[in-house]
C-alpha cells in the first residue's frame, strides 16, 4: 500500500512540483529621484502585497549599484515569477478586482499625463531552464545594499544558435559549474518575448563587489569551464550580451 500511494503521488504531483516557472522581468526607466520614490512606494505598498494575496511570491526588486554612474537612480528591475502562463495572463485582471490594491496604487494608476511615475517600461517574458526550474533566494549574509546581483543576457545570432547556448547551460553542465563555484544563482531562463531575442537571461548573486570579481576570476580559470568553453559543439553561440550589476531593495523577496 505504501508503494502504491508513493506511485500515485509521483504520477499526479510530479508534473506540478517540477513545472518550469515563467518570469516577467520589468524594467522601469526613471527620470530622477521623484519617480524612483513613487515606483518604490507603488511596488512596496501596492504591487507586492497584491501579488502575495494572489499567491505570487518571491518577487525581486533591484536597482543599479552606485558605481554604475550611467544607470544609478534611473532604473528599477522587477522580477515576478509565475507558476504558469495562465497565472501570468490573468494577473492584471486580479489586480483590477483588488480594491485595496486600487486604493494603494492610486498615484501610480491615476497619474496625469504631465506627471507620470516613470518614463517607460520595458518588459521581458521568459521561461525557466529545465535544469533550474524555480527562482531561488540566495543565501547571503551581507547587508542588502552591499550585495551584487548580476543580471546577464546572452544573445544568439539565430534561434538555433541561441538554443545551443541554452543547451550548454542545461545539458552540458554550465549551470553545474556555477553551482560548484558558489555563484548563488537566482534564475536562468529563455526569453520568449523581449527586444533582444533570441537570447537567454540569468541572475547570480554575491556578498559584495569583491566577492563577485573573485568568483569570476575563479570561473575563468576553472578546468571544467575551460573544457566546456573549448568544446567544438559550443563555439560562436553568443553574438551579443549585456550585464547589469544590481542590489536588492530592502523590500525585495529575493
Amino acid at each position: 500500500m505504501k508503494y502504491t500511494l508513493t506511485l500515485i503521488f509521483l504520477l499526479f504531483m510530479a508534473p506540478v512540483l517540477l513545472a518550469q516557472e515563467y518570469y516577467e522581468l520589468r524594467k522601469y526607466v526613471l527620470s530622477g529621484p521623484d519617480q524612483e520614490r513613487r515606483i518604490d512606494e507603488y511596488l512596496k505598498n501596492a504591487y507586492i502585497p497584491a501579488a502575495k494575496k494572489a499567491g505570487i511570491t518571491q518577487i525581486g526588486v533591484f536597482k543599479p549599484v552606485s558605481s554604475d554612474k550611467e544607470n544609478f537612480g534611473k532604473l528599477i528591475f522587477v522580477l515576478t515569477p509565475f507558476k504558469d502562463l495562465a497565472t501570468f495572463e490573468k494577473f492584471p485582471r486580479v489586480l483590477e478586482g483588488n480594491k485595496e490594491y486600487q486604493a494603494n496604487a492610486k498615484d501610480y494608476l491615476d497619474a496625469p499625463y504631465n506627471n507620470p511615475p516613470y518614463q517607460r517600461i520595458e518588459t521581458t517574458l521568459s521561461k525557466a531552464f529545465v535544469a533550474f526550474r524555480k527562482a531561488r533566494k540566495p543565501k547571503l549574509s551581507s547587508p542588502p545594499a552591499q550585495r551584487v546581483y548580476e543580471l546577464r543576457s546572452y544573445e544568439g545570432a539565430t534561434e538555433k544558435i541561441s538554443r545551443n547556448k541554452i543547451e550548454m547551460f542545461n545539458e552540458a553542465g554550465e549551470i553545474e559549474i556555477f553551482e560548484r563555484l558558489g555563484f548563488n544563482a537566482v534564475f536562468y531562463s529563455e526569453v520568449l518575448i523581449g527586444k533582444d531575442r533570441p537570447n537567454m537571461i540569468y541572475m547570480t548573486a554575491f556578498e559584495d563587489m569583491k566577492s563577485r570579481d573573485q568568483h569570476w576570476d575563479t570561473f575563468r580559470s576553472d578546468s571544467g569551464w575551460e573544457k566546456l568553453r573549448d568544446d567544438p559543439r559550443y563555439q560562436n553561440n553568443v553574438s551579443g550580451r549585456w550585464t547589469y550589476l544590481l542590489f536588492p531593495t530592502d523590500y525585495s523577496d529575493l
Side-chain angles (χ1 to χ4, degrees), residues 28-40 62-77 117-119 245-247:
Y28 284 98
V29 182
L30 312 172
S31 63
D34 181 63
Q35 287 192 339
E36 181 181 12
R37 175 189 58 79
R38 293 168 71 187
I39 294 300
D40 274 328
F62 312 97
K63 299 180 180 182
V65 297
S66 59
S67 59
D68 184 353
K69 303 301 183 183
E70 181 180 355
N71 295 308
F72 182 68
K74 299 177 183 178
L75 301 175
I76 294 179
F77 291 84
Y118 54 83
Q119 297 298 92
L245 299 180
L246 312 168
F247 70 93

Side-chain angles (χ1 to χ4, degrees), residues 36-67:
E36 181 181 12
R37 175 189 58 79
R38 293 168 71 187
I39 294 300
D40 274 328
E41 290 179 356
Y42 164 70
L43 295 171
K44 183 178 181 178
N45 300 322
Y47 180 79
I48 292 179
K52 289 183 176 180
K53 185 175 181 180
I56 299 167
T57 59
Q58 295 284 78
I59 297 174
V61 183
F62 312 97
K63 299 180 180 182
V65 297
S66 59
S67 59

Side-chain angles (χ1 to χ4, degrees), residues 231-243:
D231 191 321
R233 294 175 297 172
Y234 301 115
Q235 300 305 300
N236 303 309
N237 57 10
V238 176
S239 59
R241 69 186 73 204
W242 52 252
T243 300

Side-chain angles (χ1 to χ4, degrees), residues 210-226:
K210 181 180 179 181
S211 174
R212 180 257 178 191
D213 293 342
Q214 290 174 340
H215 275 79
W216 278 113
D217 286 342
T218 302
F219 177 84
R220 282 187 284 268
S221 61
D222 181 76
S223 59
W225 165 243
E226 290 177 343

Side-chain angles (χ1 to χ4, degrees), residues 22-249:
Y22 289 82
Y23 303 114
E24 181 196 60
L25 179 65
R26 186 178 296 189
K27 182 172 77 172
Y28 284 98
V29 182
L30 312 172
S31 63
D34 181 63
Q35 287 192 339
E36 181 181 12
R37 175 189 58 79
R38 293 168 71 187
I39 294 300
D40 274 328
E41 290 179 356
Y42 164 70
L43 295 171
K44 183 178 181 178
N45 300 322
Y47 180 79
I48 292 179
K52 289 183 176 180
K53 185 175 181 180
I56 299 167
T57 59
Q58 295 284 78
I59 297 174
V61 183
F62 312 97
K63 299 180 180 182
V65 297
S66 59
S67 59
D68 184 353
K69 303 301 183 183
E70 181 180 355
N71 295 308
F72 182 68
K74 299 177 183 178
L75 301 175
I76 294 179
F77 291 84
V78 183
L79 180 72
T80 305
F82 293 92
K83 65 179 182 179
D84 50 41
L85 282 177
T87 305
F88 167 75
E89 189 274 333
K90 72 179 182 181
F91 186 49
R93 298 195 298 276
V94 172
L95 293 179
E96 289 175 5
N98 184 327
K99 293 182 179 180
E100 185 177 7
Y101 166 80
Q102 295 291 321
N104 292 337
K106 186 173 179 57
D107 174 69
Y108 180 92
L109 297 174
D110 296 336
Y113 78 93
N114 57 354
N115 188 25
Y118 54 83
Q119 297 298 92
R120 290 289 90 190
I121 300 174
E122 295 179 15
T123 303
T124 298
L125 178 66
S126 63
K127 184 176 183 179
F129 281 2
V130 171
F132 203 98
R133 296 172 179 243
K134 294 186 181 297
R136 185 172 67 190
K137 183 175 183 176
K139 296 179 180 179
L140 302 174
S141 58
S142 58
Q146 292 183 14
R147 299 173 189 175
V148 176
Y149 282 55
E150 186 162 2
L151 178 65
R152 284 193 170 211
S153 166
Y154 293 153
E155 302 166 17
T158 68
E159 289 95 332
K160 182 177 180 180
I161 293 172
S162 184
R163 287 195 297 272
N164 178 264
K165 181 60 178 176
I166 292 171
E167 178 188 307
M168 195 173 176
F169 272 79
N170 275 307
E171 286 83 20
E174 191 163 350
I175 286 179
E176 294 175 9
I177 296 171
F178 279 118
E179 288 291 291
R180 174 166 53 80
L181 297 179
F183 268 68
N184 292 301
V186 178
F187 75 97
Y188 300 91
S189 66
E190 177 182 5
V191 173
L192 305 178
I193 300 174
K195 69 181 184 67
D196 297 316
R197 293 190 68 247
N199 69 315
M200 55 163 283
I201 54 175
Y202 72 100
M203 177 180 277
T204 51
F206 311 92
E207 297 284 359
D208 50 34
M209 192 66 74
K210 181 180 179 181
S211 174
R212 180 257 178 191
D213 293 342
Q214 290 174 340
H215 275 79
W216 278 113
D217 286 342
T218 302
F219 177 84
R220 282 187 284 268
S221 61
D222 181 76
S223 59
W225 165 243
E226 290 177 343
K227 181 179 179 181
L228 181 58
R229 179 197 63 198
D230 297 334
D231 191 321
R233 294 175 297 172
Y234 301 115
Q235 300 305 300
N236 303 309
N237 57 10
V238 176
S239 59
R241 69 186 73 204
W242 52 252
T243 300
Y244 287 101
L245 299 180
L246 312 168
F247 70 93
T249 65

